[in-house]
Amino acid sequence: MRAGIDLIDREGGAGPSMRRTAAELGVGVMSLYRYVSGKEELGRLMIDVVFGEHPLPEPGPPGWRAKLELSARNEWQIYREHPWVPQLFALTTRPPIAPQLMSYTDWRIRAVDNLGLEFPTMVRIAIMVSTHTQSSAYPLAVEQFAHDTREEWLGARSGRIQEAFTSGALPMIARFGADAIEASQPHSIFEFGLRCLLDGVEKIISSRDAG
């Protein structure tokens, strides 16, 4: 399994390939099918391995907010190291049944337990933290395997960008500068969204306490 993870980390792609993984292992594709049923199963096992390499601490820092923030940053680090994982999530029709991945959801639910919230609300909070982290990390794979930097990409298209800016049809986009470009980077979206998400959870808890 580690060989397959190293392969996709090195070469990229939106998910593991049975053929490429078999070649990396030095075995025939049919030999690999003796151990996994197909690409989806292979992806599930890989996801389980990478999440298992970043276990959340027990009991974790004091306070629900610190716990959720830590769990999000742990997950973000997984996606920094393995940017193909969010892309693989996007291709699956159902969440993978991976115990190490599911342990993150369980840990987050426990983080907001005993706060007077209904269990469905706790589940939504746990899933929202992961969903936000995954969506923010989705562009990381594109950046990792792109042949140019974001600045070079923008520079090569400066003419078309300037044309769009001066057309008058996009007045807010026309205000874009270095600060706005930085704000649109994946890490900035992750940090801003996480803060807003946790502020929202805090309001839910506060309104419940006030009631």
Side-chain angles (χ1 to χ4, degrees):
M1 197 55 56
R2 169 49 57 186
I5 293 171
D6 291 342
L7 171 68
I8 196 169
D9 282 344
R10 185 173 66 248
E11 298 185 1
S17 162
M18 294 289 285
R19 186 174 300 279
R20 290 167 64 199
T21 301
E24 182 78 3
L25 294 170
V27 301
V29 177
M30 296 312 298
S31 297
L32 189 57
Y33 275 106
R34 296 176 186 173
Y35 301 96
V36 294
S37 60
K39 182 177 179 178
E40 184 173 339
E41 175 73 2
L42 182 60
R44 180 188 70 80
L45 293 173
M46 288 182 175
I47 287 173
D48 207 42
V49 169
V50 297
F51 271 83
E53 292 173 345
H54 294 77
L56 293 168
E58 294 292 353
W64 66 266
R65 184 169 185 134
K67 285 184 168 67
L68 292 183
E69 185 172 351
L70 172 66
S71 73
R73 296 193 187 285
N74 261 44
E75 189 168 346
W76 178 256
Q77 184 59 35
I78 292 172
Y79 301 150
R80 289 289 303 273
E81 295 178 11
H82 310 286
W84 51 270
V85 175
Q87 291 189 322
L88 185 56
F89 278 126
L91 294 174
T92 57
T93 56
R94 294 289 187 273
I97 307 301
Q100 300 298 335
L101 166 64
M102 295 165 71
S103 71
Y104 268 62
T105 302
D106 187 89
W107 197 92
R108 287 169 177 146
I109 294 173
R110 287 187 282 118
V112 293
D113 195 14
N114 299 318
L115 296 175
L117 301 175
E118 296 181 351
F119 190 74
T121 299
M122 295 192 292
V123 171
R124 293 187 191 103
I125 291 170
I127 292 175
M128 283 172 57
V129 171
S130 186
T131 300
H132 165 65
T133 307
Q134 288 172 23
S135 62
S136 299
Y138 188 83
L140 292 177
V142 176
E143 295 292 336
Q144 180 182 10
F145 296 104
H147 297 297
D148 53 5
T149 66
R150 179 176 289 220
E151 289 73 20
E152 290 170 339
W153 184 90
L154 289 170
R157 293 155 179 81
S158 59
R160 277 180 285 169
I161 292 172
Q162 188 62 30
E163 182 180 343
F165 281 7
T166 58
S167 69
L170 305 169
M172 293 296 104
I173 299 299
R175 292 171 56 181
F176 261 60
D179 55 345
I181 292 174
E182 174 61 24
S184 69
Q185 298 278 9
H187 68 86
S188 180
I189 298 297
F190 167 69
E191 293 290 347
F192 179 76
L194 179 62
R195 184 169 68 251
C196 291
L197 192 158
L198 297 180
D199 286 348
V201 173
E202 191 163 337
K203 287 186 178 181
I204 292 173
I205 296 171
S206 298
S207 63
R208 195 273 171 198
D209 291 339

